[in-house]
């Protein structure tokens, strides 16, 4: 059996356990992008993460998703874009709002913008293509954790801004921003969040007599 790479010290045994694929799935925990610090993935590791993100169920083999990497040297331009987009709706933002935008744009060592880009001409329902985009985002996160980093999937107002969408190549009605996928190293231990009790979300089908 191939020995799993030793998990970096910051990963408590409770979260993102790399000892086996099943353990990783059972202990998956996002990182908070605002708490992420270097290192982030190098070019080779990011290429592996994005390759995994494209290896998802995809009805009709349409690849209805795109991934745009925002380089570290592009974060100032990204922040300027977000500020301009924010001013589209609120021309006179307050200082705290601007600070929040700057913090969002510059957080975490690595940022990939995931796009849902359904093929409208296809007979495959848009909903199913959007599900594939969600699967791609999830695989990106799982591959991130498998590489020993943490990922965080955020949206927020910027994901619904036409100006931000256009800056990432989306014309109106083309598609949507599926998420801002931040990747890095947690600067503090991860903590658990409430999870739904299995019995509230899992059941066995019992056909009704009238079915
Ligand atoms: C489509 C989508 C959008 C999300 N957007 C946000 C967001 O804007 N802000 C936020 O704090 N969490 C957001 N989340 C939730 C976090 O990504 C994260 O999943 C949540 O904190 C639970 O942590 P877990 O991934 O470890 O279960 C979003 C999740 C999804 C699936």
């Amino acid at each position: 059996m191939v020995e799993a790479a030793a998990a970096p010290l910051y990963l408590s045994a409770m979260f993102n356990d790399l000892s086996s694929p099943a353990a990783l799935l059972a202990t998956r925990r996002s990182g908070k992008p605002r708490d992420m610090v270097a290192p982030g993935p190098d070019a080779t590791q990011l290429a592996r993460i994005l390759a995994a993100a494209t290896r998802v169920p995809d009805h009709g083999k349409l690849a209805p998703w795109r991934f745009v990497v925002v380089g570290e040297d592009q974060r100032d331009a990204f922040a300027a874009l977000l500020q301009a987009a924010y001013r589209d709706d609120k021309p006179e933002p307050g200082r705290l709002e601007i600070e929040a935008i700057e913090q969002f744009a510059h957080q975490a060592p690595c940022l990939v913008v995931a796009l849902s880009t359904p093929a409208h001409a296809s007979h495959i329902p848009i909903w199913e293509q959007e599900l594939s985009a969600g699967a791609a985002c999830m695989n990106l996160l799982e591959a991130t954790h498998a590489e020993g980093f943490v990922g965080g999937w955020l949206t927020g107002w910027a994901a619904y801004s036409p100006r931000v969408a256009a800056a990432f190549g989306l014309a109106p009605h083309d598609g949507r921003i599926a998420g801002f996928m931040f990747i890095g190293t947690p600067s503090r231990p991860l903590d658990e969040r409430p999870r739904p009790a299995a019995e509230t979300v899992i059941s066995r089908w019992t056909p009704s007599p009238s079915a």
Side-chain angles (χ1 to χ4, degrees), residues 12 18 27-28 44-45 47 60 69 74 93 117 124 143 146 165 189 193-194:
S12 69
L18 296 176
T27 61
R28 183 200 66 79
T44 304
Q45 292 167 317
V69 179
Q74 298 166 331
T117 55
I124 302 295
R193 71 167 173 88

Side-chain angles (χ1 to χ4, degrees), residues 15-16 27-34 104 134 137-138 141 145 151-157 159-160 177-181 190-195:
F15 297 117
N16 300 321
T27 61
R28 183 200 66 79
R29 180 65 169 121
S30 295
K32 290 185 177 64
R34 65 173 176 273
F104 182 90
C137 290
M138 190 65 231
L141 289 181
H145 296 150
W153 182 352
L154 299 184
T155 44
W157 66 268
Y160 298 90
I177 291 174
F180 299 105
M181 314 303 286
L190 303 180
D191 55 5
E192 183 52 309
R193 71 167 173 88
R195 303 281 172 185

Side-chain angles (χ1 to χ4, degrees), residues 13-103:
M14 187 180 167
F15 297 117
N16 300 321
D17 177 353
L18 296 176
S19 62
S20 76
L24 183 58
L25 291 173
T27 61
R28 183 200 66 79
R29 180 65 169 121
S30 295
K32 290 185 177 64
R34 65 173 176 273
D35 293 340
M36 291 179 189
V37 294
D42 62 25
T44 304
Q45 292 167 317
L46 183 58
R48 283 201 297 262
I49 289 168
L50 293 176
T54 67
R55 196 178 176 85
V56 291
D58 169 10
H59 193 181
K61 304 183 189 63
L62 300 171
W65 17 256
R66 296 293 181 273
F67 303 99
V68 184
V69 179
V70 178
E72 285 189 57
D73 58 343
Q74 298 166 331
R75 292 298 188 95
D76 288 344
F78 180 57
L81 165 67
L82 295 190
Q83 281 212 32
Y86 195 80
R87 291 175 197 276
D88 285 344
D89 293 334
K90 190 169 183 186
E92 299 294 326
R95 178 179 57 81
L96 294 179
E97 291 165 294
I98 295 298
E99 285 175 10
I101 291 169
E102 289 295 321
Q103 187 279 330

